[in-house]
Amino acid sequence: MKILVCISNVPDTTTKVKFKEGDSLFDDSGVQWIINPWDELALTRAMELKEDAGNSVNEICVIHVGGASADATLRKALAIGADKAVRIDACPADAYHVAGQIAEYLKENPFDIIFSGIESSDYNGSSVGAMIAEFMDYPGISSVTSVNLDDDDIQVNRAIPGGKQVLKTETPFVAVVQKGIAMEPRIPSMRGIMMARKKPLEVKPAAELEVLTESIKFELPQEKGACKMIDSESAEQLVDLLKNEAKVL
Amino acid sequence: MSVIAFAKNWNGKFKNSSFELVSYTKALANQLNTNMVVLSIGELAEEELKLLGNYGADKVLTVSDPKLNTLTSRAYADIVAKAAESVGAEAIVLSDNNSGKAIAPRVSVKLKAGLVAAVQELPVSLDPFVVKKRVFSGKAFGHVQIKSDKKILTIAKNCFGLVENPCDITIEEFAVDIDTNLFKVKIVEEEEQKDKVILSDADVVVSAGRGMRSPENWAPVEELAEVLGAATACSRPVSDEGWRGHEEHVGQTGKVIAPNLYIAAGISGAIQHVAGISRSKCIVAINTDPEAPIFSVADYGIVGDVMDVLPRLTEAFRNSKS
Ligand SMILES: Cc1cc2nc3c(=O)[nH]c(=O)nc-3n(C[C@H](O)[C@H](O)[C@H](O)COP(=O)(O)OP(=O)(O)OC[C@H]3O[C@@H](n4cnc5c(N)ncnc54)[C@H](O)[C@@H]3O)c2cc1C
């Protein structure tokens, strides 16, 4: 069984975002890039499934749509343990374009399970995984909090408001994963980093695909006014302010 | 031409987010000078469907097939796309929640319609069609142009509010062939806590962090939540440690919420935490450290120990009710 993990390359979560060229572009000067946190958890879970001798996962490949600047992030994914990395050399213009590129790759290179994160922490589109499923006409499961294999029988947990569902699916399928899929993201070991240098990182040309949306400009949220401090003995005062000033009760 | 809204129900009931969706879509239809059609999928009582008429819906299409009572994203997307085609929709609007996230991308591919998720307000401009959305996990907003003729939006919770607009409503069954091949995912078990306030729907949220010091100390948090009819939430380390379940984790890597009131107890206010709560209307922070970053995003703050302050607040809220 083969698992494909979609990787988005995003600014470190502590990044203070800034924009340039009349607020039309993200200013990436000084930005540290990381594997999108959910994608990192998905890769961790894929590794756990492969290491569990009870099932037949024998290949984990990571895929990214973007320029060469993401290669360091893909090397990190290889150091964590992926067997192979593929980069589709295209500007990741929008979710439709990214999902379409990955679907083109999948048509030539089939996988059994495709993992994607619930959203990428830069453009928060929450769309790539479900779009891949639709391009490929595969079943897809969203809000996935666990994936287990038992003799290739697949069991997936999905979070629903106030609870969970246990699902069974056939392969191939797309799992859009969120918190819970793995406990902690794996950190590459020294040996993993050494081995990653020799693992394949294939660069594929982009397919001709349409772009349906375009980012025009950015704005920062309005600054918050000062915080009104209330004495810890005066709980009634806070209740009164919430009722009559903030009007949120 | 028209615009179509997909109003999801949960166990036969709409939520406020469904009514907010209809309110928003009605305003969008007015802006575009066209009419609105609302689509409902699954069996639903007529009285429930009529509630949509309070928010500007005059025409509802329903597909009341029992096979569709629970979400099957593939089949739902197929129906949304077919309904949109049949009414000649130029815009399709869904809620930005679990089901919207599962369906909208599929409809986008089916119809080659540009999708923008987590839209914050009515379009900034119509020609070109530009909408404002949350980006960088709430650290900024982006203006995005949709270039295709058909447009799909999912709208963020609490971005628009409810707009009452009573209308005479006609309900029509939408006849559609449902391909049984689209039901490949089978539900084998389902658990739902019916008595609990659901975090993503809650108007008031009481959230606690590592400042609670131990999972045994959660009673004051739960008591305050109970008095307020609030949902409980927590910071990431609290759920990572297993003090609370993952479903309570809010922030950049957990849930993104937008309640009217968010009470943060013993939470430092790390940038990744704030990413998940910054759209709350009002934030109250309780922390022993007057320099804690949470105070720079809070509207009201109390410097003090959670174990003293929370019971006092519970008492004050209880008294104010009676
Ligand atoms: C990739 C990444 C993603 C992340 N995603 C998230 C996320 O989604 N959500 C999230 O929450 N975090 C996230 N984090 C973690 C984040 O950086 C912080 O570590 C975390 O939010 C801190 O949690 P906390 O406020 O509960 O704990 P702490 O930072 O330890 O803060 C505890 C606070 O409690 C106060 N306190 C202590 N005792 C008391 C008392 N008796 N009474 C009152 N106050 C008291 C202290 O002054 C302190 O301010 C992420 C981190 C990374 C690297």
Side-chain angles (χ1 to χ4, degrees):
Chain A
M1 188 173 284
K2 291 165 69 176
I3 304 180
L4 183 69
V5 183
C6 304
I7 299 279
S8 174
N9 184 38
V10 298
D12 178 83
T13 54
T14 55
T15 306
K16 292 238 166 21
V17 300
K18 305 180 296 275
F19 302 102
K20 59 183 183 185
E21 297 184 23
D23 286 338
S24 66
L25 282 180
F26 175 62
D27 183 352
D28 60 2
S29 56
V31 168
Q32 277 264 50
W33 296 89
I34 59 167
I35 303 177
N36 185 41
W38 296 275
D39 305 349
E40 198 176 24
L41 290 173
L43 175 59
T44 302
R45 184 63 194 149
M47 292 306 305
E48 291 165 0
L49 291 171
K50 187 183 167 199
E51 285 154 8
D52 180 352
N55 58 57
S56 65
V57 178
N58 53 12
E59 184 186 319
I60 292 166
C61 176
V62 292
I63 190 165
H64 171 72
V65 178
S69 59
D71 285 352
T73 297
L74 289 173
R75 285 278 170 220
K76 183 177 172 202
L78 292 170
I80 290 172
D83 300 299
K84 176 179 164 183
V86 174
R87 179 167 62 78
I88 314 276
D89 196 20
C91 170
D94 70 352
Y96 182 88
H97 188 72
V98 168
Q101 298 291 348
I102 295 174
E104 289 301 317
Y105 180 78
L106 273 171
K107 283 174 193 161
E108 302 296 318
N109 306 273
F111 282 80
D112 302 285
I113 304 179
I114 297 105
F115 278 130
S116 134
I118 175 100
E119 66 172 20
S120 81
S121 62
D122 46 4
Y123 295 103
N124 309 116
S126 312
S127 310
V128 168
M131 283 184 177
I132 294 172
E134 186 61 34
F135 273 117
M136 299 304 293
D137 206 12
Y138 288 169
I141 305 177
S142 53
S143 315
V144 169
T145 55
S146 85
V147 172
N148 287 297
L149 303 180
D150 182 8
D151 272 347
D152 293 348
D153 191 25
I154 298 169
Q155 185 178 306
V156 177
N157 286 6
R158 165 161 80 184
I160 55 171
K164 68 164 193 197
Q165 285 173 336
V166 181
L167 309 166
K168 290 227 185 282
T169 179
E170 54 185 54
T171 56
F173 79 103
V174 178
V176 180
V177 308
Q178 63 185 42
K179 178 79 193 290
I181 183 72
M183 286 312 293
E184 293 261 333
R186 236 178 234 198
I187 295 162
S189 65
M190 212 45 219
R191 182 156 172 271
I193 295 168
M194 301 293 284
M195 282 173 48
R197 293 192 192 140
K198 290 187 211 115
K199 290 181 180 172
L201 193 168
E202 272 174 33
V203 179
K204 300 259 180 194
E208 282 288 330
L209 280 174
E210 269 169 284
V211 174
L212 303 177
T213 67
E214 185 182 332
S215 171
I216 310 243
K217 71 162 190 176
F218 296 97
E219 61 182 79
L220 292 170
Q222 280 178 341
E223 291 277 333
K224 268 256 175 178
C227 176
K228 205 178 248 186
M229 299 310 288
I230 290 145
D231 192 87
S232 68
E233 310 277 323
S234 323
E236 296 73 23
Q237 191 196 347
L238 177 64
V239 174
D240 180 60
L241 288 168
L242 291 175
K243 276 197 168 148
N244 301 314
E245 188 179 77
K247 299 193 167 67
V248 288
L249 285 176
Chain B
M1 289 285 217
S2 65
V3 295
I4 190 164
F6 166 57
K8 164 101 169 63
N9 70 78
W10 285 261
N11 302 320
K13 294 258 180 267
F14 290 120
K15 289 182 181 174
N16 274 347
S17 61
S18 328
F19 301 133
E20 181 177 34
L21 169 81
V22 174
S23 304
Y24 176 97
T25 311
K26 180 69 185 175
L28 176 66
N30 288 344
Q31 222 183 19
L32 290 166
N33 231 332
T34 182
N35 64 310
M36 167 177 73
V37 176
V38 181
L39 173 70
S40 163
I41 301 180
E43 289 175 308
L44 215 58
E46 192 173 314
E47 302 82 77
E48 193 66 25
L49 288 169
K50 280 190 172 153
L51 294 177
L52 300 172
N54 297 338
Y55 303 93
D58 52 14
K59 183 168 176 191
V60 174
L61 294 179
T62 154
V63 185
S64 43
D65 185 320
K67 271 205 298 302
L68 297 168
N69 287 356
T70 49
L71 170 74
T72 307
S73 54
R74 245 168 143 192
Y76 274 45
D78 194 46
I79 295 168
V80 172
K82 283 176 177 154
E85 299 258 81
S86 87
V87 301
E90 56 188 307
I92 304 164
V93 192
L94 300 92
S95 301
D96 178 44
N97 51 24
N98 286 356
S99 52
K101 284 187 169 81
I103 300 165
R106 283 190 179 266
V107 180
S108 165
V109 172
K110 279 177 191 295
L111 300 179
K112 249 195 195 189
L115 162 65
V116 179
V119 169
Q120 300 293 322
E121 51 189 60
L122 284 171
V124 183
S125 78
L126 293 176
D127 192 14
F129 194 92
V130 177
V131 285
K132 182 168 156 182
K133 79 173 299 270
R134 172 182 161 264
V135 291
F136 296 101
S137 304
K139 291 177 200 166
F141 296 105
H143 291 227
V144 183
Q145 180 186 350
I146 306 186
K147 300 199 278 192
S148 50
D149 293 341
K150 291 183 199 123
K151 284 119 185 132
I152 307 184
L153 313 178
T154 70
I155 61 159
K157 185 178 174 257
N158 271 353
C159 73
F160 194 71
L162 303 184
V163 182
E164 292 203 21
N165 178 4
C167 282
D168 283 333
I169 188 167
T170 55
I171 300 170
E172 241 176 65
E173 186 69 30
F174 178 60
V176 58
D177 283 333
I178 300 155
D179 180 355
T180 47
N181 273 324
L182 300 180
F183 295 80
K184 293 264 166 76
V185 178
K186 304 270 183 272
I187 301 176
V188 285
E189 213 180 298
E190 189 165 297
E191 276 170 37
E192 235 181 309
Q193 281 183 303
K194 295 250 154 71
D195 48 341
K196 225 182 154 191
V197 184
I198 292 170
L199 178 54
S200 46
D201 299 337
D203 289 327
V204 181
V205 173
V206 182
S207 186
R210 211 144 52 178
M212 300 305 296
R213 284 176 296 218
S214 138
E216 281 85 55
N217 289 344
W218 244 260
V221 177
E222 287 177 337
E223 282 158 19
L224 177 58
E226 195 179 327
V227 169
L228 289 168
T232 48
C234 68
S235 66
R236 173 166 126 167
V238 165
S239 75
D240 281 357
E241 294 288 331
W243 293 5
R244 305 290 290 180
H246 289 313
E247 69 286 354
E248 286 202 357
H249 163 193
V250 295
Q252 179 156 1
T253 47
K255 289 203 170 73
V256 175
I257 55 172
N260 286 331
L261 174 59
Y262 183 79
I263 301 178
I267 290 177
S268 60
I271 190 165
Q272 299 97 343
H273 185 82
V274 172
I277 61 157
S278 57
R279 278 187 53 247
S280 307
K281 282 221 181 78
C282 178
I283 297 176
V284 172
I286 304 158
N287 200 302
T288 41
D289 173 9
E291 303 295 324
I294 190 76
F295 289 120
S296 65
V297 295
D299 299 277
Y300 301 104
I302 296 181
V303 175
D305 190 308
V306 281
M307 297 315 267
D308 298 332
V309 177
L310 287 174
R312 256 181 245 202
L313 275 179
T314 306
E315 173 85 7
F317 281 115
R318 199 175 275 139
N319 292 340
S320 80
K321 273 187 174 171
S322 52

